[in-house]
Amino acid sequence: MAEEEEPIRPEFPITRVKKIMKVDKDINKINSEALHLVTYSTELFLRFLAEKSSVVAAEKKRKTVNIDHLRIAVKRHQPTSDFLLDSLPLPSAQPVRVTKTLLEKKPPPVGTRRIDAFFSKGKAKVDSP
């Protein structure tokens, strides 16, 4: 007897992919086979991008993949570059980081209070409606 193969189940939630596909006004109905095909294709494409980006990160001796590694991986693969490169954010010279010290120095707007007072037990009195 021939062994039956288990059906391929994509890791992405099929209902969410269906909702995304229905955003397009030209699509009225989606065949379940087409939905599975699009879901699995998307999964394979993202796996491909992740693998190529991790290769670039390894070449740069980095352990974490960032957007610059993704851009380089997309540029190296011409078919992907043709449609995806314009959608990626432009590389910035230096990322802007917000530190806690900057946030703590800025006083809250008038009439507001920190949420810590709400969660503390008995230390601060919370207004009741």
Side-chain angles (χ1 to χ4, degrees):
M1 283 190 186
E3 293 181 26
E4 292 185 27
E5 293 183 24
E6 290 185 27
I8 297 173
R9 295 189 180 252
E11 293 182 28
F12 290 155
I14 293 175
T15 54
R16 188 163 298 164
V17 174
K18 186 174 183 177
K19 286 180 184 178
I20 293 170
M21 288 175 69
K22 285 204 168 213
V23 168
D24 188 354
K25 294 176 183 177
D26 295 335
I27 297 177
N28 295 327
K29 291 184 179 181
I30 302 169
N31 184 350
S32 65
E33 294 170 349
L35 179 61
H36 279 19
L37 181 66
V38 168
T39 305
Y40 193 66
S41 298
T42 304
E43 183 180 322
L44 289 175
F45 178 69
L46 288 177
R47 186 173 291 149
F48 169 78
L49 279 180
E51 288 172 358
K52 295 298 180 184
S53 299
S54 67
V55 168
V56 173
E59 289 172 359
K60 304 249 182 211
K61 295 180 174 56
R62 302 283 183 208
K63 292 182 180 180
T64 306
V65 176
N66 63 29
I67 190 72
D68 295 329
H69 301 143
L70 181 65
R71 282 187 73 78
I72 294 169
V74 168
K75 282 182 185 178
R76 288 181 182 175
H77 190 252
Q78 186 61 39
T80 305
S81 177
D82 290 342
F83 80 95
L84 189 61
L85 195 58
D86 295 337
S87 301
L88 290 174
L90 294 174
S92 59
Q94 189 173 8
V96 178
R97 295 184 183 203
V98 178
T99 60
K100 288 184 179 180
T101 56
L102 291 176
L103 293 175
E104 292 174 353
K105 290 180 183 178
K106 186 177 179 182
V110 177
T112 60
R113 62 176 189 258
R114 293 186 49 87
I115 196 166
D116 301 349
F118 181 79
F119 290 108
S120 62
K121 293 182 180 180
K123 292 181 182 176
K125 189 175 180 180
V126 179
D127 295 333
S128 58

